[in-house]
């Protein structure tokens, strides 16, 4: 079975959207489950989370799938660059959203995670409550950024199929 260039482009584009959707839903899970558990009984819940995260943590998932999402988003932009200005714009915006969410993660979330889950000795309860609250609020913003990227990706897909350019 021969795979055409057209099909390869579709696979790249749909892989990009699939991975981004996975990132979004794991992020939402973190907001609805992990963050609520961490915030439930500070400092005891933070201590329990520290123990749990010694084995595995959500970052282990994101270390793999965030870069893959960006790679496939960038590949989608590259392989579809010449097709249409609107497709190029939507895919470029999607890539920028995925990249922005990751930059936001490194600048905003990683320092808070380190303080809450790695720093010795454990910070005071007031600091932990403030960090937990900030984390919970801003994770919804990060989710919104990823969601916007997914919407832009689907706008590109819609444009591709309506223009029949793939």
């Amino acid at each position: 079975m021969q795979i055409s260039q057209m099909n390869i482009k579709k696979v790249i584009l749909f892989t990009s959207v699939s991975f981004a959707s996975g990132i979004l839903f794991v992020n939402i899970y973190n907001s609805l489950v992990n963050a609520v558990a961490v915030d439930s009984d500070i400092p005891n819940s933070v201590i329990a989370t520290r123990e749990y995260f010694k084995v595995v943590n959500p970052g282990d998932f994101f270390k793999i799938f965030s870069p893959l999402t960006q790679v496939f988003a960038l590949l989608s932009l590259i392989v579809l660059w010449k097709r249409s200005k609107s497709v190029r714009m939507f895919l470029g915006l999607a890539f920028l959203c995925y990249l922005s969410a990751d930059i936001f993660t490194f600048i905003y979330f990683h320092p808070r995670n380190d303080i809450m889950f790695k720093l010795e000795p454990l910070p005071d309860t007031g600091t932990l409550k403030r960090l937990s609250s900030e984390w919970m609020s801003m994770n919804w913003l990060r989710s919104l950024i990823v969601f916007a990227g997914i919407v832009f990706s689907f706008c590109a897909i819609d444009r591709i199929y309506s223009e029949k350019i793939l």
Side-chain angles (χ1 to χ4, degrees):
M1 181 166 126
Q2 186 180 12
I3 300 176
S4 70
Q5 274 190 341
M6 207 177 343
N7 288 334
I8 291 171
K9 291 175 184 179
K10 288 178 186 178
V11 167
I12 291 170
L13 181 55
F14 283 109
T15 300
S16 168
V17 176
S18 297
F19 282 7
S21 297
I23 293 290
L24 175 62
F25 282 102
V26 171
N27 212 39
I28 291 170
Y29 172 86
N30 277 328
S31 287
L32 295 175
V33 177
N34 289 341
V36 173
V38 169
D39 198 52
S40 68
D41 184 27
I42 293 174
N44 297 325
S45 53
V46 172
I47 293 167
T49 303
R50 282 176 170 225
E51 287 302 312
Y52 175 72
F53 282 0
K54 282 182 182 178
V55 177
V56 67
N57 69 66
D60 297 330
F61 171 85
F62 290 108
K63 279 187 247 181
I64 296 167
F65 288 98
S66 286
L68 283 174
T69 299
Q70 292 168 33
V71 166
F72 279 102
L74 183 58
L75 280 173
S76 296
L77 179 60
I78 291 168
V79 300
L80 295 165
W81 184 262
K82 294 181 181 180
R83 298 300 184 183
S84 158
K85 285 182 183 182
S86 61
V87 169
R88 183 170 48 242
M89 178 193 66
F90 287 131
L91 292 177
L93 288 170
F95 174 70
L96 287 176
C97 286
Y98 305 145
L99 184 63
S100 300
D102 227 22
I103 291 169
F104 187 32
T105 298
F106 281 97
I107 292 171
Y108 188 84
F109 290 94
H110 281 263
R112 282 160 179 76
N113 288 348
D114 288 346
I115 293 167
M116 290 176 65
F117 305 121
K118 294 180 181 177
L119 186 67
E120 293 294 341
L122 187 68
D124 64 274
T125 301
T127 299
L128 292 172
K129 285 183 178 183
R130 179 181 53 81
L131 291 173
S132 177
S133 175
E134 291 171 355
W135 196 101
M136 290 172 72
S137 298
M138 296 308 280
N139 198 47
W140 288 110
L141 176 60
R142 178 170 54 176
S143 295
L144 182 63
I145 292 167
V146 175
F147 178 72
I150 293 167
V151 169
F152 289 132
S153 293
F154 277 116
C155 288
I157 290 168
D158 178 65
R159 187 62 52 144
I160 288 166
Y161 281 94
S162 67
E163 294 176 357
K164 299 187 188 319
I165 61 172
L166 255 188

